[in-house]
């Protein structure tokens, strides 16, 4: 019988190497997977993120430290003016809404609206702008003049 292939047979393919899939990030955070890695001696990395998972808003406005050093008395933060307090209360009552409803509409806590109406809040231009939009009154700049 005649040989169909002249000469020696040649391999014309490359060897294939199979690798395991990398574990997903979600699987790496699984407490069972972490404990298994600790038992087997595999490296485990833990990272503490700064302010992770907190919903903190910006802190009070920064007071110039130079002014604090120059003054003999401690600096007092500016509070909401009486005209602004009255304008917020009057507009809210005219619209027949509670402090909680107003807070919900401006995406703030009810305590924030309460502090503005009591005059204890430090004025925040962003919050005042939201209240102006919802209540339809002017709260920033010269009021009633």
């Amino acid at each position: 019988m005649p040989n169909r292939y002249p000469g020696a047979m040649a391999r014309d393919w490359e060897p294939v190497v199979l690798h395991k899939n990398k574990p997903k990030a979600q699987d790496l955070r699984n407490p069972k997977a972490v404990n298994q890695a600790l038992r087997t001696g595999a490296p485990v990395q833990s990272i503490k993120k700064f302010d992770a998972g907190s919903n903190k808003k910006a802190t009070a406005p920064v007071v110039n430290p130079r002014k604090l050093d120059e003054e003999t008395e401690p600096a007092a933060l500016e509070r909401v003016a009486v005209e602004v307090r009255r304008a917020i209360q009057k507009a809210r009552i005219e619209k027949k809404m509670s402090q909680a409803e107003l807070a919900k509409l401006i995406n703030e806590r009810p305590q924030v609206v309460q502090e503005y109406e009591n005059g204890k809040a430090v004025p925040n231009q962003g919050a005042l702008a939201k209240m102006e939009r919802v209540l339809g009154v002017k709260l920033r700049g010269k009021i009633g003049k």
Side-chain angles (χ1 to χ4, degrees), residues 92 95-107 110 113 134:
R92 180 180 58 81
K95 293 223 176 204
K96 297 179 182 174
M97 67 173 74
S98 66
Q99 289 179 346
E101 290 170 345
L102 176 59
K104 192 178 228 180
L105 289 173
I106 65 170
N107 293 328
V113 175
V134 170

Side-chain angles (χ1 to χ4, degrees), residues 16-30:
V16 176
V17 180
L18 300 175
H19 297 285
K20 290 185 178 179
N21 291 338
K22 290 184 180 178
K24 295 178 183 173
Q26 184 178 4
D27 295 337
L28 293 175
R29 283 187 231 114
N30 185 355

Side-chain angles (χ1 to χ4, degrees), residues 100 110 133:
R133 182 176 35 85

Side-chain angles (χ1 to χ4, degrees), residues 29-67:
R29 283 187 231 114
N30 185 355
K32 289 181 181 180
V34 172
N35 288 335
Q36 178 65 27
L38 289 172
R39 278 192 296 256
T40 59
V44 177
Q45 181 182 14
S46 63
I47 299 172
K48 176 143 175 80
K49 294 184 178 179
F50 180 74
D51 280 345
S54 66
N55 192 12
K56 295 180 182 176
K57 299 229 176 191
T59 57
V62 179
V63 180
N64 188 351
R66 185 169 152 199
K67 286 183 181 180

